[in-house]
Amino acid sequence: MLFRLEKLSYCYSDGTLALNEVSLSITKGERIAFLGINGSGKTTLLNHLNGILKPTSGTVYYEDTPLEYNTKSLLSLRKKVGFIFQDPNDQLFAPTVKQDVAFGPLNLGYNQHETRKLVDQALKTVGMNEFAEKPPHFLSLGQKKRVALAGVLAMQPEAIIMDEPTANLDPIATSEILHLLLRLNKDAGITLILATHDVDMVPLFATRLYILNKGKIVSEGTPKEIFSNVELIRNANLRSPRITHLFEVLKKEDNLPIDDQLPLTISEARKEILKMLKKQPNS
Amino acid sequence: MEHSHFYAQIDRYAYTNALAKCSPITKGFFAVSALLISVSSSSALLSATIFLITTIVTLYVAKIPFHFYFDMFTLPTIMLMLSCLFIALFFGYGEKLAEIGMLGFTWVIFKNGVTLSITTFLRVESALSCLFFLVLTTSITDIFITLRKIKVPKTIVELSLLIYRYIFVFLEVSAKMNTAQTLRLGNSGFINRIRAIALVAGNLFIRTLEQGERTFIAMNARGYDGNLHVLEDLPKPTKIALIGIALFDAAMLVLIILTISIGVI
């Protein structure tokens, strides 16, 4: 078990109860999405996984050891768990891309030579090695996000936590980030945990997801399980993916012979349509 | 992104000019020694020589476009002209150059006042040319690493590094706020304009505090331990360049002595 949260509650200083007895566990290699509207407690929850926030009550376990909040144990946690913030300007503080990516490895005590290697490698992975000498303010938002990711990758983490990794990105940048993340999970076995309200992206990304509403986990399961319960999704003020919604309407209103298990992605929808037309896919 | 912004443009040249890959120690040595020599002497001939040489190096060796270099000088030169006019009119003693009767007063302009005005003008312009050379040819990262190398206190270097980065973040924020105000006619009329600027300033101040907190959290999340470590890869200064600059400095010093002994200003 990589992460385990036990009855985690967090109360902000103004009295807002942002998390209310949240319990969950995450195993190595999973791709987890926390889905919820703005203010549902997603960011607060993520901040606990990296020790940025200390729970008001309850415990966070990493690899079955309860988290301690002293400098030394936080440092060793942050070596293994990288965090990518929603606004890359919060994260990119150094005058050049290369210096920024080098920040993490140097903090971990790697020497100049080792750091340079890690930086090169990380920038190559995210496809930003041409921009190594550029200052961050010359980059687009999508490029800044990729540099922020490289900054975390250079620390060779076991898990990466991301707050809204695709927010405000154009369609191409979104799909690039998404594919990059999937590749990291597949090739390097990095556990990915993200918060989002992009319901169309979730089925493409997540192996498992949690629905958050008003600081509580209201549901947990695979995308198929979660999105088949339309009632639950709507109660959390979310919606089904567009393609799922279309098939739901076609099934209910137009009585098309559609499987109870509604498709969540374009490729599943394609299969479903071809099945209805009794046609073999053109591969 | 505000690519057209003047400061961003300076930054861009610092990263892309023909001397960008040259050692910052060499460039810093050249600029600082020329600056010190030019401010330590009141010789107009010396100031003019240093101004010409640094300008030629900036325009033809570093290949900074003339119009941009010219633009950089415009504002300080206007300010300088006003001060020098003031010096010429009010300073000096001894030999009179002109007397002007005005409103019942007799206004006296002295010869050494005018001389002082001219030498001051040239001295400041030559100092500016040294500074602009450094600013336009050397990226801020290189300057920071060099400062650290020559043992400037860490706190100062680290603060400057963060300030530098967030100047650009806040430039963007303030430009956006300004646009938002203009679109709602916040900049129409003098009073409105003052009010709008005050609002942006107040807002920016709060934003900086919030940004500071978020950046600190983000730095902690990557294992910040109170020390900002940086990658130190700088091009090494070539001996020949350093010797060349030393000879140039020596020649300028000889020029100072010459101007004093033969009495040229």
Side-chain angles (χ1 to χ4, degrees):
Chain A
M1 207 60 74
L2 201 64
F3 278 107
R4 189 157 62 83
L5 307 190
E6 214 175 74
K7 291 196 169 172
L8 193 79
S9 295
Y10 187 79
C11 194
Y12 279 102
S13 52
D14 64 356
T16 322
L17 187 63
L19 290 178
N20 189 358
E21 303 214 328
V22 169
S23 297
L24 58 88
S25 47
I26 296 168
T27 30
K28 210 168 156 45
E30 279 193 293
R31 298 191 301 270
I32 302 287
F34 290 108
L35 197 58
I37 56 164
N38 298 330
S40 58
K42 301 183 303 265
T43 303
T44 314
L45 181 55
L46 292 191
N47 283 344
H48 279 89
L49 299 179
N50 190 278
I52 294 168
L53 291 178
K54 193 178 166 181
T56 312
S57 67
T59 321
V60 180
Y61 294 88
Y62 184 76
E63 289 178 334
D64 299 317
T65 327
L67 224 60
E68 283 174 62
Y69 293 86
N70 57 51
T71 320
K72 211 179 142 212
S73 23
L74 282 180
L75 202 67
S76 75
L77 172 76
R78 286 163 181 172
K79 184 180 172 162
K80 296 177 206 150
V81 183
F83 198 106
I84 296 171
F85 292 80
Q86 184 174 354
D87 181 357
N89 278 337
D90 294 349
Q91 196 159 343
L92 307 180
F93 70 90
T96 61
V97 165
K98 189 168 72 178
Q99 290 290 354
D100 202 278
V101 177
F103 178 69
L106 288 171
N107 284 338
L108 295 180
Y110 288 105
N111 66 31
Q112 299 271 326
H113 177 71
E114 293 163 334
T115 302
R116 211 158 293 151
K117 261 184 161 168
L118 288 169
V119 170
D120 279 349
Q121 212 174 9
L123 284 175
K124 255 186 211 127
T125 310
V126 302
M128 289 293 292
N129 41 341
E130 281 165 47
F131 296 83
E133 305 291 342
K134 289 256 160 33
H137 45 267
F138 290 165
L139 306 181
S140 70
L141 184 71
Q143 291 170 331
K144 283 185 195 171
K145 284 252 182 189
R146 281 194 273 160
V147 173
L149 181 58
V152 164
L153 282 179
M155 298 173 77
Q156 301 174 304
E158 294 173 356
I160 298 179
I161 300 167
M162 286 157 290
D163 197 359
E164 303 278 2
T166 58
N168 295 328
L169 292 185
D170 60 55
I172 290 180
T174 304
S175 118
E176 277 173 359
I177 284 273
L178 206 61
H179 283 105
L180 188 56
L181 291 174
L182 291 174
R183 210 175 70 217
L184 288 173
N185 177 259
K186 201 171 149 238
D187 297 348
I190 298 174
T191 310
L192 298 173
I193 301 163
L194 60 82
T196 185
H197 48 232
D198 185 348
V199 288
D200 293 303
M201 182 263 271
V202 164
L204 293 169
F205 168 81
T207 50
R208 204 153 61 82
L209 62 110
Y210 289 94
I211 307 279
L212 272 160
N213 194 15
K214 292 173 188 160
K216 277 191 165 216
I217 288 182
V218 290
S219 182
E220 178 268 323
T222 63
K224 275 216 176 337
E225 289 162 5
I226 297 280
F227 287 114
S228 59
N229 192 342
V230 180
E231 192 75 7
L232 182 120
I233 294 286
R234 293 205 175 129
N235 282 341
N237 292 317
L238 294 163
R239 60 166 175 83
S240 311
R242 296 269 183 229
I243 198 84
T244 317
H245 193 195
L246 171 67
F247 274 76
E248 190 193 337
V249 174
L250 287 174
K251 185 179 165 76
K252 274 196 187 146
E253 310 290 326
D254 307 316
N255 298 318
L256 286 187
I258 290 166
D259 204 62
D260 274 345
Q261 188 63 261
L262 296 171
L264 302 177
T265 61
I266 301 279
S267 64
E268 287 172 18
R270 180 184 172 205
K271 266 183 219 146
E272 189 67 36
I273 293 174
L274 289 174
K275 201 175 84 190
M276 263 188 287
L277 297 174
K278 301 195 169 58
K279 212 179 150 216
Q280 288 300 311
N282 268 341
S283 61
Chain B
M1 266 172 295
E2 286 281 291
H3 284 323
S4 57
H5 210 287
F6 200 66
Y7 305 108
Q9 196 64 35
I10 294 178
D11 210 48
R12 191 163 279 247
Y13 284 126
Y15 282 101
T16 56
N17 74 86
L19 281 177
K21 291 272 173 284
C22 167
S23 157
I25 292 180
T26 313
K27 288 180 286 192
F29 179 42
F30 174 65
V32 172
S33 63
L35 179 77
L36 287 178
I37 291 170
S38 98
V39 295
S40 62
S41 148
S42 60
S43 159
L45 183 65
L46 180 92
S47 300
T49 312
I50 290 185
F51 175 81
L52 274 178
I53 291 176
T54 44
T55 301
I56 288 169
V57 174
T58 311
L59 295 180
Y60 296 102
V61 183
K63 301 208 163 64
I64 303 296
F66 174 75
H67 67 91
F68 190 78
Y69 189 66
F70 186 81
D71 282 353
M72 279 183 80
F73 270 103
T74 322
L75 196 64
T77 303
I78 291 171
M79 304 289 286
L80 183 60
M81 276 173 157
L82 288 174
S83 330
C84 286
L85 189 68
F86 190 81
I87 293 173
L89 291 179
F90 295 96
F91 279 56
Y93 54 87
E95 198 182 328
K96 289 172 189 172
L97 198 67
E99 278 183 60
I100 307 159
M102 193 169 62
L103 303 166
F105 287 102
T106 315
W107 203 279
V108 186
I109 297 173
F110 296 98
K111 196 181 167 202
N112 57 5
V114 174
T115 311
L116 181 65
S117 153
I118 293 170
T119 51
T120 308
F121 181 82
L122 288 171
R123 213 159 150 184
V124 175
E125 291 286 350
S126 74
L128 278 177
S129 70
C130 298
L131 193 66
F132 288 170
F133 164 79
L134 188 66
V135 166
L136 285 167
T137 58
T138 315
S139 73
I140 206 86
T141 332
D142 286 0
I143 291 180
F144 288 142
I145 300 171
T146 312
L147 288 178
R148 199 184 281 249
K149 273 240 159 81
I150 60 171
K151 305 271 185 273
V152 172
K154 253 185 177 170
T155 321
I156 296 176
V157 181
E158 289 175 6
L159 273 178
S160 334
L161 191 130
L162 290 171
I163 290 169
Y164 164 77
R165 166 74 183 115
Y166 285 99
I167 281 175
F168 291 95
V169 173
F170 290 120
L171 267 178
E172 219 175 289
V173 174
S174 67
K176 274 184 201 152
M177 283 197 226
N178 193 32
T179 313
Q181 286 178 333
T182 312
L183 290 177
R184 288 184 291 159
L185 309 179
N187 283 331
S188 54
F190 182 69
I191 299 289
N192 257 338
R193 224 191 159 101
I194 297 281
R195 206 171 55 94
I197 290 171
L199 281 173
V200 169
N203 228 324
L204 264 186
F205 180 67
I206 296 167
R207 289 270 191 113
T208 54
L209 293 179
E210 288 173 350
Q211 180 71 63
E213 201 173 312
R214 288 202 304 268
T215 302
F216 181 62
I217 291 173
M219 285 168 80
N220 276 334
R222 283 200 284 160
Y224 179 55
D225 58 359
N227 288 310
L228 252 179
H229 310 281
V230 294
L231 266 186
E232 289 170 1
D233 45 356
L234 289 182
K236 285 241 161 23
T238 54
K239 282 223 173 64
I240 190 141
L242 291 179
I243 293 169
I245 294 165
L247 289 180
F248 161 77
D249 289 346
M252 292 299 113
L253 290 171
V254 170
L255 191 62
I256 294 181
I257 296 163
L258 269 180
T259 51
I260 293 169
S261 62
I262 58 171
V264 196
I265 59 158

